Amino acid sequence: MTQARRSRSARLRGRAAGIVLAGGSGTRVGAGINKAFLPLSGRSIAAWGLNTLASVEGVGLLVFVVRPDDLEHARFVEARETDGPLEIIVGGETRQESELAALRHLADRIDSGAVDTVLIHDAARPLVSHGLASAVLHAARENGGAVPGIPAADIAAAGPGQSLREGPDGRRAPLVRVQTPQGFHAATILDAYEAAARDGFSGTDTASCAEEYTDLPVTWVRGEETNFKITYAQDLLLAQDVVSALGLRSG
Ligand SMILES: C[C@](O)(CO)[C@H](O)COP(=O)(O)O
């Protein structure tokens, strides 16, 4: 183990696990390789989120979920773009299956209490800040579940024949753009994913599975505009501009 790795291992102390999902094909960006491994200011997109989660006090280990074809890329990220160590695992066909794979990978440590909280993050959101990830972890520990969200600034319609849900004051509840990392009490969310697997349920994000299978209150934490998801080629250009304009660095 190198000195850098020793110091990272020493810093990674805590009972929360960061899970970074890079199991999708990420083809809409049009690059021919999984977008999570495209470069952003000298490091892969995935490395940015991994390094940020690793910097959060209380995060004790990182699980990096990838496709079988990307294992070599993932090992490169571990060796060259993060201080490591990463627990690299192969995910499933869907987001739900990849999350389940990560939770099962942690199951023994969740059962023993060595892991109490999970922070599940999209590799495609490289610019999540240390402050936001820390706030989600804190809120998840306080409440059982927490997700970042930004109230939509534009007027949004639910679509023909649909009605927007009412807010507590009887007015229309604002639509919220949901981001990651999403933080949850680990044992509860593991049970939820096992129950979902038995039912064949597949959610859009961790919160949707939590809402369906748990009583956990899910708290909102104010998300960040810069924590956008890289989906299309123009999102990568925007991320590069944000990195330059704000002078951001990874790791
Ligand atoms: C979880 C998420 O980022 C919330 O906005 C989003 O649902 C992820 O979508 P993906 O298609 O799994 O990347």
Side-chain angles (χ1 to χ4, degrees), residues 75-89:
R75 289 189 196 110
F76 179 88
V77 169
E78 181 187 32
R80 301 289 181 84
E81 299 187 335
T82 65
D83 287 343
L86 304 178
E87 299 187 18
I88 299 170
I89 66 163

Side-chain angles (χ1 to χ4, degrees), residues 101-147:
L103 291 166
R104 281 184 177 162
H105 171 78
L106 294 170
D108 286 348
R109 283 169 283 181
I110 292 174
D111 288 346
S112 72
V115 168
D116 68 351
T117 311
V118 290
L119 276 185
I120 302 187
H121 185 57
D122 298 334
R125 295 184 185 273
L127 301 184
V128 59
S129 73
H130 170 89
L132 177 57
S134 303
V136 171
L137 177 57
H138 180 75
R141 286 219 158 111
E142 291 279 301
N143 301 288
V147 300

Side-chain angles (χ1 to χ4, degrees), residues 4-137:
R5 271 164 190 271
R6 258 194 298 277
S7 60
R8 164 55 61 83
S9 303
R11 266 192 290 146
L12 280 175
R13 281 214 194 102
R15 294 198 297 147
I19 297 171
V20 174
L21 303 172
S25 54
T27 49
R28 282 176 289 179
V29 89
I33 69 164
N34 183 342
K35 65 187 172 188
F37 299 100
L38 289 173
L40 172 61
S41 194
R43 291 184 193 223
S44 63
I45 286 173
W48 283 76
L50 286 160
N51 285 324
T52 299
L53 291 194
S55 74
V56 172
E57 196 179 335
V59 171
L61 65 100
L62 292 173
V63 181
F64 188 25
V65 188
V66 300
R67 297 184 309 172
D69 290 355
D70 288 327
L71 279 169
E72 210 172 305
H73 284 129
R75 289 189 196 110
F76 179 88
V77 169
E78 181 187 32
R80 301 289 181 84
E81 299 187 335
T82 65
D83 287 343
L86 304 178
E87 299 187 18
I88 299 170
I89 66 163
V90 171
E93 291 293 311
T94 62
R95 178 190 191 87
Q96 183 88 20
E97 287 170 10
S98 290
E99 291 175 299
L100 176 62
L103 291 166
R104 281 184 177 162
H105 171 78
L106 294 170
D108 286 348
R109 283 169 283 181
I110 292 174
D111 288 346
S112 72
V115 168
D116 68 351
T117 311
V118 290
L119 276 185
I120 302 187
H121 185 57
D122 298 334
R125 295 184 185 273
L127 301 184
V128 59
S129 73
H130 170 89
L132 177 57
S134 303
V136 171
L137 177 57

